[in-house]
Amino acid sequence: MAGLVVVGSQWGDEGKGKIVDLLAKDADVVVRYQGGSNAGHTVITGKGTFIFHLIPSGILYRGKLCVLGNGVAIDPGGLIGELDGLKKNGIAVGKRFLICQRAHVIMPYHKAIDKAAEQAKGARRIGTTGRGIGPAYVDKMARVGIRMGDLLNPDVLKQKIQENLVEINAFLRRIYKAKGFTVESIFKEYQAYGERLRPHIADVSLVLDKAFGRGQHVLFEGAQGTHLDVDFGTYPYVTSSSSCSGGACTGSGVGPTNISAVLGVTKAYTTRVGEGPFPTELHNEIGEQLMQRGNEFGATTGRARRCGWLDLVLLRYAVRVNGLTSLAVTKLDVLDGCEELKICTGYRHEGKLYREMPADLKVLQECQPVYERWTGWAADTTGLTSYRALPTVAKRYLARVEELSTCRIDIISTGSKRGDTIVIRNPLDRSKKRAK
Ligand code: IMP
């Protein structure tokens, strides 16, 4: 094993934080490669509940190197807040945390544009997290972005802010009737961030190359999910980065030959936060029950998540576009007590049956899901750690998920605590033992 990528197979919030936390103990390096503080990973340990927006959750283990690759959009103020929070909880970070000098910086004007654009869109809004993600990636592609390395060079930083504000201020004032920004205030704030973060800014691609050279295990922690990917998601209701496994290479500066496995994390049902199509969404008491039992409220914005049945069209597509080698199924316990379970196997639209994911938003918005019905289980699966102990019907449900997705299940999560997990195979385990 060299590189293992962990990605979300749905619309984010699949419980990747817990799975990465579990795997991180067998990894040497943990890497974030895309997204920014729009993500929110919750990890519950003996030391308390930690919510990370930027820092990889692997930081909770002593001795692990955690890095943010070039593909991550960095909000330096928020990041410093996370570093301070770790310090307050007695977790020493020191040289164990690095940020790529090529990573782009989220500026105050990105957040202002994000919020103003959403407001102006009205009913067509995307439901963004308001963290400035889209506008920061727009600047990156328009070649006017400010990178972490620029924060260390006051002349370059000031000049870039000056140049950018000419257009940005005009845009904010004329189009959105919003207030503009002054060069001095942003410059002072961001130069100070650069000085504080200076010891952590590095050439991450080089650091990772050396780690692979030493034969170390590198874990790539995806944020958001497959169906929020800017290319493969339900465009335009997506985020602005490559949240699929391919993003691990372009977002960290490693070649694809270093990736040996890709683990897709999926909930035992489906959720989505923000706007956009969701064919298996439940607008009834079962949806409400999943929301309450699954505590489906966003870690970043606190918004209630929309809930629905497991959608195998989405999952099979995730297997394909990520090259998934195995699955981690989370929140199985949330389905305890459901009399009947449904699995979506296709979509029907204007007399046509879709077995594969349509790119056409209209089809996704208007289609009727085609369901298989499964008997639920009454038993409490919370905290189970052995596959054998699962109710027979739960095993059948999981076997059907493997069959329809064409991907084997390696891990099943049965609760929010670290230990509430069934590990059938650990994708990072050097001994390759298989537990049942
Ligand atoms: P943005 O990433 O803030 O631009 O938001 C774009 C879309 O992605 C919105 O629907 C958000 O709700 C969604 N989104 C962004 N980050 C996450 C996440 O970490 N989990 C779930 N949804 C997310």
Side-chain angles (χ1 to χ4, degrees), residues 11-13 38-40 126-130 133 224 228 238-239 273-274 303:
W11 280 293
D13 308 317
N38 48 351
I126 288 164
T128 72
T129 57
I133 303 296
Q224 289 83 48
L228 286 173
V238 293
T239 191
V273 62
R303 288 181 288 180

Side-chain angles (χ1 to χ4, degrees), residues 224-263:
Q224 289 83 48
T226 303
H227 299 275
L228 286 173
D229 183 282
V230 70
D231 287 283
F232 298 108
T234 46
Y235 193 89
Y237 296 97
V238 293
T239 191
S240 300
S241 65
S242 299
S243 44
C244 284
S245 60
C249 292
T250 54
S252 67
V254 311
T257 44
N258 284 310
I259 309 295
S260 19
V262 186
L263 177 71

Side-chain angles (χ1 to χ4, degrees), residues 6-176:
V6 177
V7 290
S9 307
Q10 297 164 315
W11 280 293
D13 308 317
E14 297 90 352
K16 295 179 293 296
K18 179 184 156 169
I19 301 298
V20 168
D21 173 63
L22 178 93
L23 296 171
K25 74 176 182 328
D26 295 311
D28 301 292
V29 188
V30 186
V31 186
R32 270 260 332 247
Y33 57 86
Q34 48 72 229
S37 40
N38 48 351
H41 289 174
T42 308
V43 182
I44 303 171
T45 74
K47 282 198 170 181
T49 299
F50 295 86
I51 298 180
F52 296 106
H53 297 289
L54 275 167
I55 300 179
S57 44
I59 204 77
L60 297 176
Y61 289 100
R62 238 173 244 262
K64 311 286 175 191
L65 176 65
C66 290
V67 305
L68 301 180
N70 56 282
V72 181
I74 315 274
D75 177 354
L79 177 58
I80 290 167
E82 280 183 41
L83 287 169
D84 289 345
L86 283 167
K87 196 168 167 192
K88 231 174 47 207
N89 281 294
I91 291 158
V93 171
K95 283 272 175 201
R96 290 199 298 123
F97 175 62
L98 299 176
I99 314 157
C100 185
Q101 58 202 7
R102 293 183 173 86
H104 281 249
V105 181
I106 298 196
M107 306 298 288
Y109 47 82
H110 293 139
K111 294 184 195 174
I113 295 171
D114 193 358
K115 287 178 189 143
E118 280 283 274
Q119 215 169 12
K121 278 195 181 107
R124 285 173 37 253
R125 73 185 177 280
I126 288 164
T128 72
T129 57
R131 302 291 173 108
I133 303 296
Y137 283 112
V138 166
D139 277 5
K140 172 177 174 172
M141 292 308 173
R143 296 161 293 184
V144 295
I146 292 174
R147 307 201 292 180
M148 287 305 291
D150 297 331
L151 300 188
L152 306 181
N153 187 332
D155 293 340
V156 173
L157 177 62
K158 195 168 210 170
Q159 193 190 341
K160 285 194 169 190
I161 296 172
Q162 248 158 3
E163 285 169 6
N164 286 354
L165 280 186
V166 175
E167 226 177 87
I168 299 269
N169 277 343
F171 182 66
L172 277 170
R173 286 175 187 143
R174 278 196 221 131
I175 308 291
Y176 294 128

Side-chain angles (χ1 to χ4, degrees), residues 365-382:
Q365 275 164 335
E366 296 172 358
C367 69
Q368 289 302 316
V370 176
Y371 285 119
E372 275 185 9
R373 288 159 186 266
W374 287 76
T375 311
W377 55 89
D380 183 3
T381 66
T382 314

